[in-house]
Amino acid sequence: MATSKSTSTYNRQNWEDAEFPILCQTCLGDNPYIRMTKDRYGKECKICSRPFTVFRWCPGARMRFKKTEVCQTCSRLKNVCQTCLLDLEYGLPIQVRDAALRIKDDLPRSEVNKEYYIQNMDREMGKVDTTSPGGAVGKSQAASDLLMKLARTSPYYKRNRPHICSFWVKGECKRGEECPYRHEKPTDPDDPLADQNIKDRYYGTNDPVADKLMRRADQMPKLEPPEDRSITTLYIGNLGEKLGEKELRDHFYQYGEIRAITVVARQQCAFVQFTTRGAAEVAAERTFNKLILGGRRLTIKWGRSQGRQGGGGDCAEMGDGEEMLEPVPGLPGTLPPPPADMRNNFFNLAGPSATATSDHDAAMMQSMMIPPPMAPMGRPPPGIVPGGPPPLMRPAGAGPPPGPTPFYFPQIMRPPPGVRPPHPPPMFPPGTAPLYPRSVTNPVPHQLVPPGTATGTIHYPSQDPSRMGTAQLGSKD
């Protein structure tokens, strides 16, 4: 019930007056141009019963109006939002945060002791920055692994939706789309999340949301240390191509003294061996499922003892260290391997002697690829005159052969001066031979003669020039 200044002025100097509320991003909404109404000493705080300034606003379109529920002193004592009473930094209930940080709640419950405690804490917090939390939360240590796993990283605007229309549930709502409430089926009344108390959430007791999150945390995978106390090695997977020994040493040295770091670049993994088992356990606890180096999330596992590795101990064995699954019934089994004499015969073209035949063929192909030896070139021995070109290559009317040349040129390489070497006969595709004049072998002039046919007889349809699209000379077309 709101306390009026005119009816009761008891302990009025401790009433709270603020210019802006302490809210989380979810309750504030995504509208940057939000408008609020301010009511000085509008209601009593639901925790300490002191009058405080109440703010009311709409976080967005199709959302319900929200208002502050507790004063700013109680909000700073627990570092929570004035509306939803969730932690401002992690977005979690107070019960989960206090259990993760091992914070003990020392806030009194009786009215007289609570009023005295709140006044003293308000006086102490007035001496420090107004944006910093007070009480045991401000003196707590860094965030634990549980908070990092359960923390909400983005706003949850679905929490600002309107309440369910009770008239629509009974089938009596006549507003239709203009109804500001939701026309949806309500949740199960026996659901523990449907019964939430603001005081239980603030004191961190009997909070159904916190119980749900704690059960989720218990079901998360954990890295259990091996029973063999001599194992002090951690397997680091998913390194990539950029991470090396220097980056791993710079990060893991903070957990204890390192004996050796072995990086297997081919399989993108590494093994970090500590000198003590305690340092290895601390490193495994603080890096499992949350170590990110070079933009890559690394895989952390315990190494294996030398006896279990069997002398291998590579990254492939560590990567396949998961439990073997049972085979699915009804699926066909694996195919047997092929016989030894058929492994190289992929097309089943030979019998048992396929191996010998393939070796013989390989030897034949190798001998065919070796070029024949060429005759040595150079000057002839003294006293020997090299012969001239053959008579067939000498043109008609030429004089006697020239005298001995000072250098030796092989006959098959260069003809004598002034003589052109004969050109080889031209090559034409079948059916495209050039035109030849009338002769004995070709009695019909201007007729295409396929190669190998002296009389121009066509033996195959493919040798017919008309079938190849060739135009005959002398035709009217």
Side-chain angles (χ1 to χ4, degrees), residues 79-108:
N79 192 31
V80 296
C81 174
Q82 285 187 259
T83 301
C84 63
L85 271 68
L86 296 179
D87 186 81
L88 292 174
E89 185 175 358
Y90 305 106
L92 299 174
I94 298 176
Q95 183 177 347
V96 178
R97 184 201 62 189
D98 293 351
L101 297 179
R102 298 185 177 93
I103 298 177
K104 185 178 181 180
D105 183 22
D106 54 354
L107 185 65

Side-chain angles (χ1 to χ4, degrees), residues 180-404:
Y181 299 96
R182 283 187 297 159
H183 289 181
E184 297 179 4
K185 184 179 179 180
T187 58
D188 187 5
D190 297 334
D191 188 3
L193 296 178
D195 185 14
Q196 302 184 27
N197 193 334
I198 189 172
K199 288 189 177 182
D200 291 342
R201 173 168 293 183
Y202 186 82
Y203 291 113
T205 56
N206 302 326
D207 189 357
V209 180
D211 295 339
K212 178 182 178 181
L213 292 176
M214 295 299 291
R215 290 194 301 268
R216 183 188 302 176
D218 296 338
Q219 297 176 358
M220 289 185 176
K222 299 180 181 179
L223 185 62
E224 299 294 338
E227 298 179 358
D228 189 359
R229 301 290 301 179
S230 63
I231 299 178
T232 60
T233 304
L234 294 181
Y235 162 79
I236 316 297
N238 195 26
L239 290 180
E241 300 179 356
K242 297 182 180 180
L243 296 180
E245 180 179 354
K246 180 180 182 302
E247 290 77 8
L248 295 177
R249 187 178 298 275
D250 292 344
H251 179 80
F252 283 94
Y253 85 96
Q254 58 181 321
Y255 306 118
E257 185 179 356
I258 299 177
R259 177 174 297 172
I261 296 181
T262 305
V263 179
V264 185
R266 181 172 57 88
Q267 299 180 357
Q268 298 184 0
C269 69
F271 295 91
V272 180
Q273 184 180 11
F274 291 88
T275 56
T276 60
R277 174 60 178 262
E281 292 181 355
V282 172
E285 180 182 359
R286 296 185 181 180
T287 58
F288 178 67
N289 274 351
K290 52 182 173 291
L291 177 59
I292 299 178
L293 290 180
R296 302 176 67 91
R297 182 179 293 274
L298 304 185
T299 303
I300 308 297
K301 295 181 181 180
W302 280 96
R304 299 179 182 178
S305 61
Q306 297 295 332
R308 292 186 60 187
Q309 290 181 2
D314 57 351
C315 296
E317 296 180 359
M318 294 301 302
D320 299 337
E322 290 82 3
E323 298 181 359
M324 297 296 296
L325 300 178
E326 297 182 359
V328 180
L331 295 180
T334 58
L335 296 176
D341 55 348
M342 299 292 292
R343 291 187 178 179
N344 294 331
N345 187 14
F346 300 102
F347 299 99
N348 196 17
L349 298 178
S353 61
T355 305
T357 305
S358 61
D359 296 342
H360 176 69
D361 295 342
M364 291 293 294
M365 292 297 296
Q366 184 176 4
S367 61
M368 293 173 61
M369 294 176 61
I370 300 177
M374 297 182 63
M377 298 174 58
R379 291 187 177 183
I384 298 178
V385 179
L392 295 178
M393 298 180 62
R394 187 178 301 276

Side-chain angles (χ1 to χ4, degrees), residues 3 8 43 110 119 144 214 231 240 276 372 405 417:
T3 304
S8 176
K43 285 191 175 183
S110 63
Q119 290 180 4
S144 64
M214 295 299 291
I231 299 178
T276 60
T405 56

Side-chain angles (χ1 to χ4, degrees), residues 426-449:
M427 301 295 294
F428 299 96
T432 59
L435 297 176
Y436 291 95
R438 182 189 301 268
S439 61
V440 178
T441 60
N442 188 16
V444 182
H446 309 295
Q447 181 180 359
L448 295 175
V449 181

